[in-house]
Amino acid sequence: MEGWKAGQVHGSFEVMVDMQPIQAAVSEKSLIIALISAASVAIISFIGFFISKKITVPISMIKERMAFLENNCLSNLNNGLKSLAMGDLSKNVEKKTKQIMLDQNDEVGKIAESFDSMVTKTQSAVDSYNTVREKISDVTRELQIVISEAKEGNLNYRCNGANFNGTYGELINSTNNLLDTITVPIKD
């Protein structure tokens, strides 16, 4: 072996090994790896599906309710206010949009909570609009009674201002004062 240099071949030999046990072990390990991979993909897919449903279903619900709020309550309230500004008291506005009441402590839950607050405020505005309509109708009825009484010759009839607050009461009291101003010279 003296004088041999690295990399020189000075003979050969053959090693005989049975590959069947090695191939069986590789096949078994490949099967295990494939099963683990398939299980991992299934678990990740399930988690992804669950998370996407947890986000997309509430977001879709919020989107639908927002469209409903806009197309019904807000649109009807806007139309009612326009009619009221033109002297038309016939437009009743109903509260149709329901709150979402989503019990989630994440960003989607915060958006739903904010939407529910908007619904509450819109419903309060609808109530206020309907109250104003009723008050104006009440004042109009009261004034129509005074006019009807005056037409019948009863100039002593006066509106009951105690039933009205604020500007409504001032309008009724001003009408009573106007009648007093007119009837005093007539009585004298």
Side-chain angles (χ1 to χ4, degrees):
M1 309 220 200
E2 282 184 36
W4 287 7
K5 293 186 181 172
Q8 289 182 334
V9 177
H10 293 275
S12 67
F13 62 93
E14 183 178 347
V15 177
M16 302 280 295
V17 176
D18 186 12
M19 293 300 288
Q20 182 127 10
I22 294 171
Q23 288 174 342
V26 167
S27 292
E28 180 184 337
K29 301 301 181 202
S30 294
L31 181 62
I32 290 172
I33 289 171
L35 290 174
I36 289 173
S37 296
S40 297
V41 167
I43 290 170
I44 289 170
S45 295
F46 176 75
I47 290 171
F49 178 76
F50 176 74
I51 289 173
S52 73
K53 285 294 180 193
K54 187 171 172 63
I55 294 171
T56 58
V57 168
I59 293 287
S60 292
M61 186 183 347
I62 292 168
K63 180 182 169 201
E64 289 170 12
R65 294 276 175 90
M66 282 185 151
F68 190 85
L69 178 67
E70 178 184 8
N71 295 328
N72 289 282
C73 295
L74 292 175
S75 180
N76 293 343
L77 181 59
N78 185 44
N79 291 336
L81 289 169
K82 284 179 181 178
S83 294
L84 184 64
M86 300 301 290
D88 179 4
L89 302 176
S90 66
K91 304 280 190 238
N92 185 39
V93 178
E94 295 178 18
K95 301 180 284 189
K96 294 182 177 181
T97 307
K98 306 285 185 226
Q99 291 184 337
I100 294 174
M101 308 275 248
L102 186 65
D103 189 25
Q104 283 183 215
N105 291 326
D106 57 6
E107 289 79 7
V108 174
K110 297 294 181 196
I111 291 170
E113 186 178 302
S114 180
F115 175 78
D116 287 346
S117 175
M118 288 185 340
V119 168
T120 299
K121 289 175 183 171
T122 301
Q123 290 174 346
S124 177
V126 167
D127 288 340
S128 295
Y129 164 79
N130 286 323
T131 299
V132 166
R133 267 183 61 242
E134 291 169 14
K135 289 292 184 187
I136 293 173
S137 291
D138 292 346
V139 168
T140 303
R141 259 190 305 281
E142 191 71 27
L143 293 174
Q144 287 171 342
I145 292 170
V146 169
I147 292 168
S148 177
E149 289 291 324
K151 284 181 181 178
E152 296 294 320
N154 182 6
L155 298 177
N156 293 322
Y157 184 84
R158 298 294 181 265
C159 298
N160 186 357
N163 293 336
F164 301 97
N165 297 322
T167 302
Y168 303 119
E170 289 175 21
L171 182 60
I172 295 294
N173 290 331
S174 293
T175 302
N176 289 339
N177 291 337
L178 175 63
L179 286 171
D180 289 342
T181 303
I182 293 171
T183 59
V184 167
I186 294 173
K187 289 181 183 178
D188 290 339

